[in-house]
Amino acid sequence: MSETPNNLAMQRLTPALSLAAIAALACFALAPSSFAQQTPAPAAAPAPAKSATPPEKPLPGLDLSSMDLSADPCADMYRYACGNFNANHPIPADQADVDPFYVLFNVSTQQLNDILTKAAVPSPARSPDEQKIGDYFSACTNTSAIDAAGLKPIQPLLDEIAALGNTQNHPGFFHNLFHLFRHKSARAQVNRAQLADLIGKLQRINVNAFFSYGEQQDFKDATKQIAFIQQGGLGLPEKDYYLRTGDKDAQIRAQYVAHVAKMLTLAGSSPAQAQRDAANIMTLETALAKASLGVVDMRDPEKTYHLQPVATLTASLPGFDLTAFQDAIHSPHVTEINNATPGFWPELTNQLNTTDIATLQAYLRYQLLTTVARSLPHALDAEDFDFYGRILHGQPEERARWKRCSGFVNTALGEALGKVYVDQYFAGDSKARMVEMVRDIESAMGRDIDQIDWMSPATKLRAREKLAAVANKIGYPDKWRDYSKLAIAPNDALGNQMRADAFENDRQLNKIGKPVDHAEWEMTPPTINAYYDDSMNDINFPAGILQPPFYDRTQDDAVNYGHIGAVIGHELTHGFDDEGRKFDAHGNLDNWWTPEDLKNFTARTDCLADEYSSFTAVDDVHVNGRLTLGENTADNGGLLLAFMAYMQRAKDDHIDLAARRDGFTGPQRFYIAFAQNWCQNTRPEQVRSQVLENPHSPDRFRVNGVIVNQPGFAPAFGCKPNAPMAPAKSCRIW
Ligand SMILES: [Zn+2]
């Protein structure tokens, strides 16, 4: 399945990212962050293309041109800080939205393109890493070679899918008996070991076949790396797409069925057969969706942690040959496993037993085609974009091939590309400044914990202990990943994609049973995003986000604390949001709260959930206050901590807060800079899909939804009591 640039790079327990580690990751932005996970569509650029658009510039730390000074900040801070953003930033046809992340992403894409076009020129002087990133890029942009290869590179897998119902491997007498018997039931029987083996092979190259399987840190013992298995197999983004009522949802389902039929037709089925298969696939996926947990439950580590002996799992998957599957996906034969979604297996077993073989085959064929669509001939790539990009996200046109390919290289070989990127484009001084700001914000959190009046000394002690244990990772890894065992060829886009995915999957599964590597990163250095990891208890800021407007060395502390300071505060607060608070200093799921403190905490999170649920995002679709609770908690706490840290820094450095720059005082600049993290021009389809499936609130609510809860805001702008941005009743957790 393809993902648009606006999907989240790192989301916890996302079936679509089935082979990525399942860790309790929470990240900062929805934005193009997802560098990582871009994909499909048209654009048949010839050979390695040069950048066709003029170079873009990142936005400045304080962007006066985006502000609407006619607006009253006390009435609508988003409009005041971002009111002119849309007029100045129309959404390009190849984007679903535009915001400061996307503007910077486009700059980075140019930089990566420069690195990659150079590396793509064959030369014995290239380092092994340069050969790999260059050849991957070169093959990816060579669409005529991709068109010429057709389906050939996946033909062996298509053949295996086609052979699923064959019984030739039941020889002699039994073979004949089997046939006689089967004739009566008028339906061929799937060969069980063959099916499990095939699902394993497909999942190893990221095909979302029926469920997902991977490696995670044990939630209750973060020193251990274990296997997990969980629900999956859906072609639509999440379960409610199959079940919600309403015209828009019915329309999307009809468009999905038409899309599946089109893909199958393009891959050689007759249109009539493809129509029947697509309708049957919809029935199969709807049954799986009904047995799946929803997006809110999937955020809850207590609901997705059931460590058990493998025998317990296999008992709930009767007839499924787990050993054959594990061999095919290159997993060790573990003795215990996190069965993340126990309620899913009875229905999966039922479907595997009762769905006719032609439907199972068509389903696997479709899942394979959509996974590799970007490396398939143009018609398939374009059809994949048409559904996942245009229909689901409202993006009229696919991005140019060279732009997409730089994202694919970043996904496949992110640390090989990242090493060159950091050498060429990462200003080292931003790292030193970041270290200092992180320290400021961590000590602000310490003071905040000391000051809050709703928590007992015993729980405060544990919170302090957790805060002290947070590890800070800034810029890029100390030790770069070794890709020497991954073969990349200059003219084999599809082979490269499949080998790189298998390589990464093997790397993940190889961790099972081994000690945890605390130096590992879950995001690549060029990524414009940040994350907190519950099991690692660390905050991570890739080089990509340490640039304007998020960090701008030409700006003062007010602006930088408002931008990147709020990002740091956000990640740190994730360790103490509704999910993070369940993990202790060592990254273990462990209740360190007294019942009374937990009651107080929950009352405060309920306040925030209710506040955000009252926001209408698009048409009649409301923000889901429960789905976005962790992110909203992080936004609110993060800004509060950043402001505390800024005020302390100003005091220590004798900065005159009242002194004006660009016409604004220090605190005003702080809040304007913060708000401008989230200026956004978005297509309605994009807002809809974000609200339904993503844990981040739409950007404008990430401004006003937070500002109303900030005690420092009204004094900074002289807001009267009960002004819309200074309500009498507000929510406060941290
Ligand atoms: Zn976050």
Side-chain angles (χ1 to χ4, degrees), residues 19-85:
L19 300 175
I22 156 189
L25 289 186
C27 67
F28 185 60
L30 157 91
S33 38
S34 21
F35 252 128
Q37 302 294 333
Q38 279 155 50
T39 11
K50 287 258 188 280
S51 39
T53 43
E56 304 195 40
K57 283 200 182 113
L59 299 170
L62 196 84
D63 180 17
L64 297 169
S65 72
S66 288
M67 298 182 69
D68 176 0
L69 294 173
S70 73
D72 174 6
C74 299
D76 184 345
M77 182 57 180
Y78 181 78
R79 198 177 144 205
Y80 183 69
C82 298
N84 284 336
F85 184 84

Side-chain angles (χ1 to χ4, degrees), residues 196-260:
D197 171 78
L198 183 53
I199 293 173
K201 277 183 190 149
L202 291 170
Q203 287 193 14
R204 185 165 174 255
I205 56 165
N206 280 357
V207 177
N208 182 18
F210 296 110
F211 61 90
S212 69
Y213 182 96
E215 173 276 336
Q216 68 167 107
Q217 275 172 273
D218 186 338
F219 282 168
K220 292 204 170 164
D221 180 357
T223 64
K224 276 167 59 187
Q225 302 192 104
I226 60 171
F228 76 87
I229 188 167
Q230 70 176 31
Q231 67 189 33
L234 305 182
L236 287 168
E238 52 88 30
K239 77 174 276 185
D240 286 337
Y241 275 81
Y242 295 85
L243 309 176
R244 259 189 309 265
T245 54
D247 291 349
K248 181 72 186 167
D249 292 289
Q251 186 194 7
I252 288 177
R253 285 191 288 272
Q255 287 168 315
Y256 176 60
V257 172
H259 157 71
V260 172

Side-chain angles (χ1 to χ4, degrees), residues 26-29 530 570-571 574 630-631 634-635 696 702:
C27 67
F28 185 60
H570 174 105
E571 299 311 335
H574 268 314
E631 296 301 333
D635 280 347
H696 299 84
R702 296 189 76 169

Side-chain angles (χ1 to χ4, degrees), residues 425-438 474-476 541-548 551-553 564 568:
Y425 295 105
F426 184 51
D429 64 337
S430 55
K431 184 161 177 169
R433 187 73 187 96
M434 269 298 278
V435 170
E436 196 177 54
M437 291 174 78
V438 168
I474 297 164
Y476 51 90
F541 306 94
I545 200 170
L546 308 182
Q547 304 182 73
Y551 174 73
D552 184 346
R553 77 179 85 173
I564 197 77
I568 298 167

Side-chain angles (χ1 to χ4, degrees), residues 421-534:
Y421 173 81
V422 164
D423 279 348
Q424 288 189 19
Y425 295 105
F426 184 51
D429 64 337
S430 55
K431 184 161 177 169
R433 187 73 187 96
M434 269 298 278
V435 170
E436 196 177 54
M437 291 174 78
V438 168
R439 214 178 310 132
D440 280 359
I441 286 160
E442 287 175 344
S443 48
M445 178 147 228
R447 295 195 300 280
D448 180 52
I449 291 170
D450 291 345
Q451 285 162 17
I452 52 177
D453 58 8
W454 53 268
M455 192 186 255
S456 69
T459 306
K460 281 188 179 188
L461 202 66
R462 299 295 302 272
R464 276 291 215 159
E465 186 187 313
K466 178 162 184 177
L467 174 63
V470 172
N472 309 320
K473 294 188 348 219
I474 297 164
Y476 51 90
D478 294 333
K479 185 169 158 275
W480 296 98
R481 201 166 289 169
D482 175 11
Y483 294 99
S484 57
K485 299 248 160 51
L486 170 59
I488 298 296
N491 250 327
D492 182 12
L494 183 49
N496 289 343
Q497 180 186 347
M498 293 193 291
R499 280 189 297 273
D501 284 345
F503 176 83
E504 172 59 13
N505 185 52
D506 290 356
R507 190 184 73 82
Q508 295 289 351
L509 294 178
N510 188 45
K511 294 192 233 169
I512 295 171
K514 308 233 170 73
V516 175
D517 174 9
H518 288 272
E520 186 185 355
W521 283 69
E522 300 291 343
M523 283 182 184
T524 69
T527 305
I528 302 161
N529 207 336
Y531 69 94
Y532 171 78
D533 184 328
D534 286 318

